[in-house]
């Protein structure tokens, strides 16, 4: 079989984040053809797309105005996550900076229905909290009106159908949120979701008449279910239960009363389209004819007859499809290139479950290369971040590259992962943190029993919280590993929490434990304090501008670990929490490949 180098694989493109233009004739989307995501537009299925932004920095989203031939987009600098908002006129190429506060984060909250205003949240006033702002479409950074002062992590969930109110969501952790409604005329904030303990209230959306708010929640169940909140009565009604699977979100088109909600089935997405009757009953529409993978980012056409959806699969790149809602027929509108690598060489995974120390079965995706000599196949155990995230069957160029090189790939969803219900998500909280690391040991034991695997060539790799898991696995179970790769990982929970962005500290303490109450425990589980146990060669990579896990985590780890093991370090001065620029990704993964070969 012909093989390709890592640069070819990292030149595989992705197209995603579609939005319909006001006339329904064009789609905007993000694509990384230039090496970083930029705004592109396309007029018909498979047509030649036009690039609309030309920056060296990544664009994070694009959203067409509902009334004008213009779009809003977001962009940060050097991976610092302090996104600014811009207005783009695609037909003229004119771009204006709408926010002009480079030291603050700006989180898009959507256009008003008349396209005259947009909403966002920002930490301009206080770096640690987010306030709600409304701004005219042609305003500048000084024109935004502060309509609500927050005291936490606030996000705008959308405008009411008459543009008089906003949904405001506040997150305390990834498993605990609240939803409120802000009246723009009076400034009154009405809390819809009072609760005790941790309850998820996610993906809030206005109903078509502005009398209800739809959302997914686990307030009465272990898994997320779709509910309707009636503003007049203050009552919840269950619309669709999740059963054994999580309902992930809902999107509603107010004019057509069309909607879509998604169900997470072992990582795969099942989309359900429907139409709300006047009695708020959902009449089902035909099942969309989409590839089996991970789908999201739904945008309805102005007439509500079509919906653009991004779909990715383990063996295919992310592309935008448009679904005809009356029939369920879907057509791919974008053609993200595979850098000349045949699509039929991409290998799909097997969904497996393996036993762990307390009798639970842990779900994982396991992929073997086309040639897997018995007892000779090396394995990369790739651990996701979060920790409240989930490894799903989406495309990974890095994974496909290592498969082509003869590595197997094992991607576990250890306890604490999202997608498997509330109870599973809380199994790693605070004092139970190391139980999730024990799930990694159980994964390696399972791999040792697999006939294809070489038990002496098992690698731990992960990013962010996954980087902590790599370091913890290397210190807790040092004899299991041939090598470790830590990408923007946490080495010391105490210094991480002390130095992470002010806006994130409280959110992260809810998951990991607080500096005030749990410092001694956090010290005890921090890999930096057990670094003398590391035996395997270790590669540490980080971005200088990382606002989440500061680069000091990498520096202190490397300094300590070098006394006990072979350690390599690579720092990118123009990256943040991960590597977004193509040239940096090529350098990073080329060095990782060389390191593992060595």
């Amino acid at each position: 079989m012909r093989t390709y180098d890592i640069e070819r694989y990292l030149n595989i493109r992705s197209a995603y984040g579609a939005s319909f233009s006001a006339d329904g004739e064009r789609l905007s989307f993000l694509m990384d053809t230039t090496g970083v995501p930029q705004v592109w537009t396309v007029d018909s299925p498979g047509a030649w797309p036009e690039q609309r932004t030309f920056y060296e920095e990544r664009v994070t989203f694009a959203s067409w105005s509902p009334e004008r031939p213009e779009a809003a987009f977001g962009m940060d600098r050097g991976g610092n996550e302090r996104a600014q908002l811009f207005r783009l006129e695609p037909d003229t190429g004119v771009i204006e900076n709408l926010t002009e506060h480079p030291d603050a984060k700006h989180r898009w909250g959507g256009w008003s229905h008349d396209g005259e205003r947009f909403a966002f949240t920002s930490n301009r006033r206080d770096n640690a909290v987010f306030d709600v702002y409304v701004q005219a479409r042609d305003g500048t950074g000084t024109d935004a009106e502060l309509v609500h002062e927050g005291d936490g992590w606030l996000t705008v969930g959308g405008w009411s159908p008459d543009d008089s109110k906003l949904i405001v969501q506040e997150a305390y952790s990834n498993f605990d949120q609240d939803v409120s409604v802000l009246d723009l005329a009076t400034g009154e904030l009405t809390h819809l979701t009072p609760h005790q303990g941790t309850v998820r209230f996610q993906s809030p959306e206005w109903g078509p008449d502005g009398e209800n708010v739809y959302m997914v929640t686990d307030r009465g169940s272990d898994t997320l279910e779709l509910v309707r909140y009636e503003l007049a009565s203050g009552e919840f009604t269950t619309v669709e239960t999740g059963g054994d699977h999580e309902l992930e979100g809902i999107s509603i088109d107010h004019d057509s009363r069309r909607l879509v909600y998604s169900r997470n089935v072992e990582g795969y997405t099942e989309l359900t389209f429907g139409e709300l009757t006047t009695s708020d009953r959902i009449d089902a529409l035909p099942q969309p004819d989409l590839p089996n993978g991970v789908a999201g980012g739904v945008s309805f056409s102005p007439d509500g007859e079509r919906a653009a959806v991004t779909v990715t699969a383990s063996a295919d790149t992310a592309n935008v499809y448009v679904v005809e809602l009356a029939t369920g027929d879907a057509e791919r509108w974008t053609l993200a290139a595979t850098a000349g690598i045949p699509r039929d060489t991409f290998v799909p995974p097997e969904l497996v479950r393996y036993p762990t120390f307390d009798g639970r079965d842990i779900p994982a995706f396991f992929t073997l290369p086309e040639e897997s000599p018995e007892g000779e196949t090396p394995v990369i155990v790739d651990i996701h971040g979060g920790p409240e995230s989930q490894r799903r069957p989406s495309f990974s160029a890095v994974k496909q590259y290592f498969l082509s090189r003869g590595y197997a790939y094992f991607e576990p969803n250890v306890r604490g992962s999202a997608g498997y219900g509330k109870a599973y998500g809380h199994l790693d909280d605070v004092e139970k943190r190391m139980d999730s690391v024990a799930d990694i040991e159980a994964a390696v034991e399972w791999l040792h029993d697999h006939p294809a695997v070489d038990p002496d060539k098992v690698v731990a790799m992960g990013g962010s919280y996954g980087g902590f898991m790599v370091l913890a696995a290397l210190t807790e179970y040092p004899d299991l590993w041939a090598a470790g790769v830590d990408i923007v990982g946490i080495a010391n929970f105490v210094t991480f929490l002390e130095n992470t962005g002010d806006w994130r500290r409280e959110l992260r303490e809810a998951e990991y434990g607080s500096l005030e109450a749990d410092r001694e425990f956090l010290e005890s589980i921090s890999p930096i304090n057990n670094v003398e146990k590391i035996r395997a060669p270790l590669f540490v990579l980080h971005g200088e501008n990382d606002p989440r896990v500061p680069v000091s985590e990498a520096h202190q780890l490397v300094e300590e670990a070098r006394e006990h093991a072979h350690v390599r370090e690579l720092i990118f001065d123009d990256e943040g929490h991960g590597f977004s620029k193509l040239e940096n990704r090529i350098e990073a993964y080329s060095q990782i490949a060389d390191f593992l070969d060595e």
Side-chain angles (χ1 to χ4, degrees):
M1 182 183 72
R2 184 175 181 180
T3 59
Y4 304 88
D5 61 24
I6 186 63
E7 185 168 351
R8 284 287 288 275
Y9 276 91
L10 292 177
N11 270 285
I12 294 173
R13 306 308 183 191
S14 297
Y16 58 96
S19 176
F20 270 106
S21 61
D23 60 9
E25 298 298 322
R26 281 187 287 181
L27 281 178
S28 68
F29 60 97
L30 303 184
M31 189 161 64
D32 53 356
T33 297
T34 61
V36 290
Q38 297 295 303
V39 181
W40 297 68
T41 62
V42 64
D43 297 336
S44 60
W48 190 264
E50 292 191 53
Q51 187 176 348
R52 301 297 186 175
T53 59
F54 301 85
Y55 296 102
E56 294 183 357
E57 303 290 351
R58 61 181 177 181
V59 173
T60 55
F61 79 92
S63 175
W64 278 99
S65 164
E67 292 293 333
R68 293 179 176 83
E70 61 187 24
F73 69 90
M75 182 175 65
D76 67 357
R77 183 171 295 279
N80 66 7
E81 299 187 14
R82 297 184 179 94
Q84 305 300 299
L85 304 179
F86 300 81
R87 183 165 60 88
L88 161 70
E89 296 178 5
D91 294 332
T92 65
V94 172
I95 295 175
E96 296 183 5
N97 188 332
L98 297 171
T99 46
E100 297 177 343
H101 281 70
D103 293 330
K105 293 170 64 74
H106 298 83
R107 310 181 73 207
W108 177 249
W111 293 98
S112 60
H113 290 74
D114 60 10
E116 293 293 337
R117 297 173 292 170
F118 60 92
F120 62 91
T121 59
S122 178
N123 60 345
R124 296 177 177 181
R125 179 180 59 87
D126 182 336
N127 194 50
V129 301
F130 286 83
D131 301 324
V132 181
Y133 293 82
V134 170
Q135 184 171 323
R137 53 166 285 278
D138 56 354
T140 64
T142 59
D143 297 331
E145 179 186 1
L146 195 164
V147 295
H148 175 72
E149 289 191 2
D151 59 3
W153 185 276
L154 299 188
T155 305
V156 173
W159 297 73
S160 61
D162 64 359
D163 289 338
S164 67
K165 300 179 181 68
L166 296 173
I167 290 175
V168 178
Q169 183 182 25
E170 181 168 5
Y172 313 110
S173 74
N174 285 353
F175 278 93
D176 191 18
Q177 300 91 27
D178 266 320
V179 175
S180 301
V181 168
L182 176 65
D183 188 308
L184 292 175
T186 66
E188 181 182 3
L189 188 73
T190 303
H191 185 193
L192 308 186
T193 56
H195 63 277
Q196 294 182 338
T198 59
V199 181
R200 289 177 289 176
F201 294 96
Q202 298 177 350
S203 187
E205 284 272 321
W206 287 100
D209 303 314
E211 299 172 354
N212 303 308
V213 174
Y214 291 78
M215 65 189 86
V216 295
T217 179
D218 57 12
R219 61 186 291 272
S221 64
D222 181 59
T223 55
L224 292 169
E225 56 187 15
L226 177 60
V227 301
R228 179 177 64 248
Y229 179 91
E230 186 178 1
L231 294 174
S233 66
E235 294 182 353
F236 283 97
T237 301
T238 300
V239 177
E240 180 74 20
T241 61
D244 294 333
H245 305 294
E246 302 258 67
L247 293 179
E248 294 185 294
I250 182 171
S251 181
I252 301 175
D253 182 63
H254 294 159
D255 291 339
S256 69
R257 307 183 70 88
R258 297 282 175 80
L259 61 78
V260 59
Y261 59 86
S262 59
R263 179 177 272 104
N264 181 339
V265 181
E266 299 285 5
Y268 292 87
T269 304
E270 289 185 0
L271 292 180
T272 299
F273 285 93
E275 188 170 343
L276 280 165
T277 66
T278 53
S279 60
D280 284 318
R281 187 185 75 245
I282 298 177
D283 290 342
L285 292 168
Q287 193 76 12
D289 181 24
L290 292 168
N292 188 30
V294 182
V298 176
S299 173
F300 288 98
S301 62
D303 60 7
E305 296 297 323
R306 297 172 294 161
V309 184
T310 301
V311 182
T312 176
S314 291
D316 201 1
T317 55
N319 273 290
V320 176
Y321 292 75
V322 173
V323 179
E324 296 289 340
L325 299 184
T327 64
D329 294 338
E331 193 168 10
R332 191 170 73 174
W333 273 50
T334 62
L335 300 171
T338 63
I341 302 174
R343 293 179 189 272
D344 60 10
T345 64
F346 302 145
V347 186
E350 177 187 1
L351 178 62
V352 302
R353 289 183 177 271
Y354 65 90
T356 191
F357 67 93
D358 59 357
R360 300 177 191 275
D361 285 334
I362 304 298
F365 291 100
F366 184 47
T367 317
L368 283 168
E370 287 190 6
E371 297 182 6
S372 306
E374 184 170 345
E376 298 180 12
T377 306
V379 184
I380 295 173
V381 179
D382 192 352
I383 310 166
H384 70 66
E388 315 96 324
S389 184
Q390 182 185 21
R391 189 51 55 90
R392 305 186 68 171
S394 55
F395 185 79
S396 166
V398 170
K399 171 182 170 180
Q400 294 297 332
Y401 167 72
F402 280 113
L403 287 167
S404 76
R405 293 284 297 273
Y407 288 86
Y409 228 76
F410 192 86
E411 302 165 280
N413 282 311
V414 298
R415 67 190 64 215
S417 299
Y420 304 96
K422 181 194 304 185
Y424 193 79
H426 284 306
L427 286 176
D428 69 339
D429 288 357
V430 192
E431 73 278 359
K432 296 177 282 188
R433 177 68 45 212
M434 301 308 286
D435 287 352
S436 62
V437 184
D439 290 342
I440 298 297
E441 181 203 21
V444 178
E445 291 176 352
W446 184 89
L447 287 167
H448 283 180
D449 292 335
H450 195 284
V453 170
D454 184 340
D456 295 325
K457 294 184 178 180
V458 181
V459 175
M461 182 164 70
S464 189
Y465 175 80
F468 156 74
M469 292 288 281
V470 167
L471 299 173
L474 264 60
T475 55
E476 293 293 310
Y477 309 104
D479 297 330
L480 295 182
W481 306 102
V485 180
D486 160 33
I487 303 171
V488 299
I490 301 168
N492 185 330
F493 276 111
V494 171
T495 55
F496 157 67
L497 289 171
E498 287 175 340
N499 298 315
T500 192
D502 294 340
W503 59 86
R504 301 187 73 250
R505 186 170 300 109
E506 186 175 344
L507 202 68
R508 292 292 80 202
E509 285 188 328
E511 168 69 26
Y512 299 134
S514 73
L515 290 170
E516 181 178 355
D518 304 294
R519 179 181 288 263
E520 185 176 348
F521 171 73
L522 293 171
E523 291 277 12
S524 71
I525 66 169
S526 292
I528 190 73
N529 296 322
N530 299 289
V531 73
E532 74 281 355
K533 297 179 181 178
I534 294 178
R535 295 291 177 267
L538 174 64
F539 194 5
V540 178
L541 302 94
H542 220 104
E544 184 70 35
N545 305 320
D546 193 337
R548 302 190 185 195
V549 180
V551 70
S552 54
E553 292 294 296
H555 293 325
Q556 64 175 320
L557 172 70
V558 169
E559 183 178 355
E560 294 284 338
R562 274 184 172 152
E563 298 181 11
H564 309 283
H566 170 70
V567 181
R568 183 184 298 184
E569 183 182 35
L570 178 60
I571 308 296
F572 292 99
D573 60 10
D574 57 347
E575 295 283 9
H577 195 63
F579 312 132
S580 62
K581 296 179 172 65
L582 177 61
E583 62 269 25
N584 293 340
R585 287 174 52 78
I586 291 171
E587 181 178 356
Y589 287 103
S590 295
Q591 290 204 29
I592 289 172
D594 292 342
F595 172 76
L596 295 185
D597 285 348
E598 178 188 337

